[in-house]
């Protein structure tokens, strides 16, 4: 009799438990993460035709950034013997500083083939940008200054030049084929300093270009707008918390500029031979003193092609770096 009573009680408890479970199941709600995954799954079920529209552009962008096999050695800390250690290692670096970059020249007109940033594959930073060049192309000083070093690094930069500028920046130019300057030589913005090449750790001709402030490798895209071949503003504010960030670097704009650059190069050199011996200072003095603006010209491109600085053109013509150029407009160069 007691056994029967216990058995009945067990059935009642089991029934109540089942009912409670039923109530809980009816009021149960999925966690937010599960709901988000569900929404993403549904959102991902879109027509593949929508992806085809961007395929060609994406392939072009992917191909732009295949140039570099591995980021270069950091010549400020690696691969330099005792005389090549970071000269600012024991210096007090200000948290911020406004730097005048108005008197500039683009080091080369090439488009960006590998941007600044961390390389997960190699677990290290790429502390500059790579610009497309052809072997023998003229590489120019970005700002006024003095040549601090010309050297060779087999495992990284190959032939490279370091310039120390009057605005407190230093610039590095790597993978060169030939030096056109010597240590302690003073150069002006736009002066030829080297020829482009494929030396050191490089899988194709390109210029590795760095901008540094007291040893800090600034993202060059924070100073230069490579797609428009100019600087973003006349001054750049160095800040220890933001120096690695670009300023308005737009891969789509770089892609569009790359197509224009390639088309112009193929038109100018149908046989693929783009080597042009840089002008000597003597020949520069005999160059034309004026220039007629053509469609697509920029101040930086005009300055680079004629061996003068953008600041000099602006001063002689009473214009600003942001001024709009008109086809047919005549500019004084000297």
């Amino acid at each position: 009799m007691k056994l029967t009573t216990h058995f009945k009680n067990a059935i009642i408890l089991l029934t109540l438990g089942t009912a409670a479970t039923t109530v809980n199941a009816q009021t149960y709600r999925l966690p937010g993460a599960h709901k988000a995954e569900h929404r993403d799954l549904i959102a991902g079920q879109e027509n593949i035709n929508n992806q085809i529209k961007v395929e060609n552009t994406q392939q072009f962008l992917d191909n732009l950034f295949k140039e570099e096999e591995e980021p270069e050695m950091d010549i400020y800390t690696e691969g330099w013997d005792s005389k090549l250690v970071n000269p600012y290692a024991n210096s007090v670096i200000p948290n911020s500083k406004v730097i005048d970059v108005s008197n500039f020249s683009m080091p080369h007109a090439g488009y960006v083939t590998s941007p600044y940033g961390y390389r997960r594959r190699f677990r290290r930073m790429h502390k500059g940008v790579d610009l497309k060049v052809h072997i023998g192309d003229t590489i120019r000083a970005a700002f006024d200054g003095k040549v601090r070093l010309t050297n060779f690094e087999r495992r990284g930069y190959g032939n490279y030049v370091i310039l120390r500028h009057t605005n407190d920046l230093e610039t590095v130019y790597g993978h060169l084929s030939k030096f056109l300057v010597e240590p302690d030589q003073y150069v002006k913005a736009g002066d030829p300093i080297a020829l482009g090449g494929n030396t050191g750790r490089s899988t194709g001709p390109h210029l590795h270009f760095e901008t540094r402030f007291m040893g800090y490798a600034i993202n060059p895209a924070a100073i230069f707008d490579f797609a428009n071949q100019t600087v973003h503003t006349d001054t750049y504010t160095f800040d220890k918390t933001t120096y690695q960030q670009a300023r308005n670097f737009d891969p789509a704009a770089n892609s569009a500029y790359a197509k224009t650059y390639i088309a112009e190069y193929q038109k100018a050199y149908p046989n693929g031979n783009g080597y042009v011996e840089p002008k000597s200072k003597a020949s520069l003095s005999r160059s034309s003193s004026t220039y007629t603006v053509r469609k697509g010209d920029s101040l930086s491109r005009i300055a680079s092609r004629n061996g003068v600085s953008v600041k000099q053109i602006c001063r002689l013509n009473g214009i600003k770096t942001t001024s709009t150029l008109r086809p047919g407009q005549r500019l004084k160069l000297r």
Side-chain angles (χ1 to χ4, degrees):
M1 188 69 175
K2 291 182 179 180
L3 181 62
T4 303
T5 302
H6 286 308
F7 182 72
K8 287 181 179 179
N9 291 338
I11 292 175
I12 292 171
L13 290 173
L14 180 62
T15 302
L16 291 174
T18 303
T21 301
T22 303
V23 171
N24 289 338
Q26 290 174 344
T27 59
Y28 182 73
R29 294 291 183 269
L30 286 173
H34 290 179
K35 294 173 69 177
E37 289 178 1
H38 182 65
R39 287 196 303 269
D40 291 343
L41 180 62
I42 294 175
Q45 297 174 354
E46 59 182 348
N47 193 329
I48 190 63
N49 290 330
N50 293 336
Q51 299 296 322
I52 295 175
K53 296 177 183 178
V54 299
E55 181 179 357
N56 293 335
T57 299
Q58 187 60 52
Q59 287 179 349
F60 187 83
L61 288 171
D62 291 342
N63 288 333
L64 287 183
F65 300 145
K66 288 183 177 179
E67 191 96 58
E68 181 194 24
E69 178 179 303
E70 183 174 344
E72 288 81 357
M73 303 289 287
D74 184 351
I75 56 177
Y76 280 77
T77 58
E78 302 177 71
W80 254 2
D81 296 324
S82 58
K83 68 174 183 177
L84 303 176
V85 173
N86 180 353
Y88 299 105
N90 297 317
S91 300
V92 177
I93 315 299
N95 289 324
S96 66
K97 179 178 175 61
V98 177
I99 300 170
D100 183 355
V101 294
S102 60
N103 184 27
F104 75 97
S105 173
M106 300 301 290
H108 187 269
Y111 54 89
V112 176
T113 61
S114 184
Y116 175 103
Y118 183 73
R119 297 294 184 266
R120 183 175 298 177
R121 176 182 174 188
F122 307 111
R123 298 181 182 179
R124 64 194 306 171
M125 282 289 292
H126 182 225
K127 296 186 177 181
V129 299
D130 290 347
L131 302 177
K132 179 61 181 177
V133 302
H134 297 84
I135 294 177
D137 281 357
T138 303
I139 308 303
R140 300 181 182 276
F143 307 100
D144 295 353
K146 184 177 286 190
V147 179
R148 183 165 75 82
L149 184 69
T150 61
N151 201 5
F152 176 75
E153 168 57 56
R154 181 179 62 83
R155 296 183 300 153
Y157 291 72
N159 292 318
Y160 65 91
V161 173
I162 298 179
L163 303 182
R164 180 170 295 178
H165 302 289
T166 55
N167 60 5
D168 295 330
L169 289 178
E170 286 199 332
T171 51
V172 183
Y173 311 77
H175 305 304
L176 309 170
S177 62
K178 182 180 179 181
F179 300 129
L180 300 177
V181 291
E182 299 176 347
D184 296 324
Q185 180 178 337
Y186 186 79
V187 295
K188 301 286 286 183
D191 281 353
I193 59 170
L195 302 183
N198 188 29
T199 58
R201 188 186 292 273
S202 172
T203 58
H206 69 279
L207 171 68
H208 175 80
F209 176 63
E210 295 183 12
T211 50
R212 291 186 179 246
F213 173 69
M214 301 191 75
Y216 279 76
I218 299 166
N219 187 338
I223 300 174
F224 292 94
D225 180 351
F226 293 100
N228 292 297
Q229 293 289 283
T230 187
V231 289
H232 292 290
T233 52
D234 285 346
T235 59
Y236 164 73
T237 302
F238 167 80
D239 188 293
K240 285 184 177 180
T241 62
T242 61
Y243 71 94
Q244 294 184 335
Q245 298 175 11
R247 186 158 33 161
N248 300 329
F249 178 72
D250 184 353
N254 183 61
S255 173
Y257 175 68
K259 292 178 181 178
T260 301
Y261 175 88
I262 292 169
E264 288 183 354
Y265 182 86
Q266 291 175 341
K267 182 179 179 180
Y269 306 105
N271 296 324
N273 182 13
Y275 176 78
V276 178
E277 186 68 32
K279 296 179 179 180
S280 65
K281 290 186 177 180
S283 64
L284 283 175
S285 64
R286 296 190 298 270
S287 298
S288 175
S289 60
T290 61
Y291 178 84
T292 302
V293 177
R294 293 176 293 181
K295 184 178 180 180
D297 273 341
S298 65
L299 283 173
S300 177
R301 189 173 302 179
I302 294 170
S304 178
R305 288 176 177 173
N306 291 275
V308 297
S309 69
V310 171
K311 187 173 184 178
Q312 180 174 330
I313 295 177
C314 292
R315 177 176 56 80
L316 290 175
N317 294 276
I319 60 177
K320 299 180 179 179
T321 57
T322 55
S323 297
T324 301
L325 300 180
R326 304 183 309 276
Q329 179 180 358
R330 292 185 66 82
L331 297 174
K332 295 179 182 178
L333 301 178
R334 296 173 178 83

